[in-house]
Amino acid sequence: MGSMQWFSRRDFLKTAGAFSVFQYALWMGGCESCQQQIAARPTRRNISNLPANDPIIQAYQAGVAAMKAKPASDPLSWAFQADIHANHCPHGNWWWLPWHRAFLVYFERIIRKLSGHDDFALPYWNWTTNPSVPAPFWGNGSSLFDPNRGIGPTDTPPFGIVDAATITGILGQTNFNVFASYPQTAANFRSKTTYGLLEASPHNQIHPWIGGLSGDMTFFHSPLDPIFWCHHNILDCLWYKWNEMGNANTNDPVWNDQHFTEFFDETGTSVDVVCAITPLFPLLTYQFEPCNQGPNGGAGMAKALGKDQLEALLRKGAPVKLDVTQRFTLQRELNLEVGKPARSTAKIESRLLQDAIQPNGNRAVLLNVNEITDPDTNDYFVRVFVGKPDATPETPTSDSHYAGSFGFFNDAKSMANMPNMSGHKFGFVVDLTPALRSLNQGGGMSANSLDVTLIPVGYPGRKTEGLKLSIGNLELGIAQIK
């Protein structure tokens, strides 16, 4: 597929109504065998299911070793690729998924070239089914080992971050912005707005859990740890599964028209990728072995779309709206301290809540945690409970009052050195609807008020005593999901 040229948004729109995926490939590359190449595109597989001598693992090790041996000035080198991420990656806005998808595609092509394994497909790490960092990433003699980790081979992340219930809940969110992070303008491409569910929990919390106090995964040079690529690959798979379940990406031209020009292909040539084409990558250049969530796994999930339906959904997208019809201020200028619960309450008509949490409805109760500045450290995350004023750091995430969590990727000190990334405020969104529905069915909801408890919790083994987080305001919103 190396001859493909990614076309402009104008060409994409002009051809989208008439061309199939296969015709796109023929039009782009002009090769007679493109259709066969797409049908035989490599499959990205679960690395935990591969034996140690599997050609995929061997190719990954060989490719990484070759990249590490190159000078930092070489676009194919390990250090250069990490610099691309540090200097250009968007986080906390709606481009983080498509940008990282393109990043992985070209990394995959570099590994193919340097390993000599033409069928190499980047494996993913399914932390839901295999929560410990997989065996190929350990051992001083392996190019996949990073000594700068804050965890060991048998450690597992805190519960409530990547467990099946958490990931199933995230996949059940139908709004693109709440799932994939909120809109941003092209002029502020890297600036954070509001973290969506997929980024706030599994993405933001796995990074510092692995990296520890000062490890590579904790900061924007995280691609220096080879597990980075497999961590982002499962996120890419979950995005694809979310689409396969019938959920549409935004068709906003600001999102579609964004160009990513910082990547290099396997020949060291600079490339230009327009965001509009990235949703089609899993149909054009690679495919996934089912990642055990969504339509191919996970009880109660929607049936997968057929190929033609999926292709049409990915090409067209949809208008994405999040109309907040009522807002309720819980608290302003909330200061949290790690290990200490902070409770806030809002008076809400019972009728409004009951209308918003009806099963299979198109309304949601969203907690907006607004006007946060980057914390001094990433050594903790925040758990959210509803209707449980006695919640503590020891309250399990299996409790019916648990609504979700959010974490931080990069801290104030490191962000100060990143172009266009420091000195601004951002937020998180937590969907309270599933927890409220469960409490309502069990008779555990208050009649005319709703209380929310936030608890900062330190990662295991971190010194977090006295660490604080400042929040500008805490707000409940009843929203119509479109």
Side-chain angles (χ1 to χ4, degrees), residues 132-133 138 151-156 209:
S132 296
V133 171
W138 299 100
I151 59 168
T154 61
D155 289 333
T156 59
W209 170 69

Side-chain angles (χ1 to χ4, degrees), residues 29-276:
C31 59
E32 295 181 0
S33 62
C34 280
Q35 184 169 341
Q36 289 81 6
Q37 289 182 35
I38 291 174
R41 64 196 186 281
T43 299
R44 295 182 177 182
R45 301 173 61 193
N46 185 345
I47 195 168
S48 297
N49 294 338
L50 304 177
N53 63 349
D54 190 279
I56 292 295
I57 293 179
Q58 293 180 336
Y60 193 21
Q61 291 171 331
V64 170
M67 292 178 73
K68 289 182 176 180
K70 290 183 174 293
S73 59
D74 189 327
L76 307 189
S77 73
W78 195 245
F80 195 99
Q81 291 293 308
D83 282 342
I84 289 175
H85 187 266
N87 295 328
H88 300 284
C89 68
H91 282 280
N93 71 49
W94 61 357
W95 284 304
W96 83 277
L97 277 174
W99 190 95
H100 285 83
R101 174 169 282 181
F103 193 33
L104 265 59
V105 161
Y106 284 101
F107 174 77
E108 187 174 61
R109 289 169 61 160
I110 291 170
I111 295 292
R112 282 183 198 149
K113 174 75 172 181
L114 297 183
S115 68
H117 193 295
D118 293 339
D119 294 327
F120 173 79
L122 182 68
Y124 61 76
W125 168 34
N126 191 334
W127 16 243
T128 298
T129 56
N130 301 94
S132 296
V133 171
F137 294 92
W138 299 100
N140 289 325
S142 172
S143 63
L144 303 184
F145 175 64
D146 184 348
N148 299 318
R149 293 178 187 146
I151 59 168
T154 61
D155 289 333
T156 59
F159 208 72
I161 295 176
V162 294
D163 58 280
T166 297
I167 302 304
T168 298
I170 293 172
L171 288 171
Q173 174 54 244
T174 59
N175 181 272
F176 176 77
N177 295 334
V178 177
F179 173 79
S181 296
Y182 279 33
Q184 182 55 283
T185 65
N188 296 303
F189 170 67
R190 297 197 74 196
S191 295
K192 294 180 283 189
T193 55
T194 296
Y195 286 88
L197 304 182
L198 188 65
E199 189 174 11
S201 187
H203 173 268
N204 281 12
Q205 296 178 61
I206 287 293
H207 267 278
W209 170 69
I210 292 176
L213 289 172
S214 58
D216 295 324
M217 276 287 279
T218 300
F219 307 107
F220 270 13
H221 276 92
S222 48
L224 290 173
D225 189 335
I227 193 61
F228 164 92
W229 306 93
C230 297
H231 168 49
H232 270 273
N233 203 14
I234 184 66
L235 295 166
D236 192 58
C237 184
L238 292 175
W239 179 23
Y240 171 74
K241 292 299 180 187
W242 186 78
N243 287 146
E244 196 180 29
M245 291 162 60
N247 299 302
N249 305 315
T250 179
N251 64 2
D252 191 309
V254 176
W255 187 79
N256 277 316
D257 289 347
Q258 182 65 44
H259 283 253
F260 310 136
T261 59
E262 45 278 335
F263 305 124
F264 292 81
D265 69 14
E266 66 275 20
T267 70
T269 302
S270 178
V271 296
D272 182 354
V273 182
V274 65
C275 183

Side-chain angles (χ1 to χ4, degrees), residues 19 31 37 61 100 107 135 151 162 181 186 225 270 288 312 348 358 361 369 384 393 408 432 457 468 470:
F19 282 8
C31 59
Q37 289 182 35
Q61 291 171 331
H100 285 83
F107 174 77
I151 59 168
V162 294
S181 296
D225 189 335
S270 178
F288 282 110
I348 304 177
Q358 291 305 305
V369 187
V384 179
F408 308 95
L432 306 183
V457 179
K468 295 182 179 180
S470 296

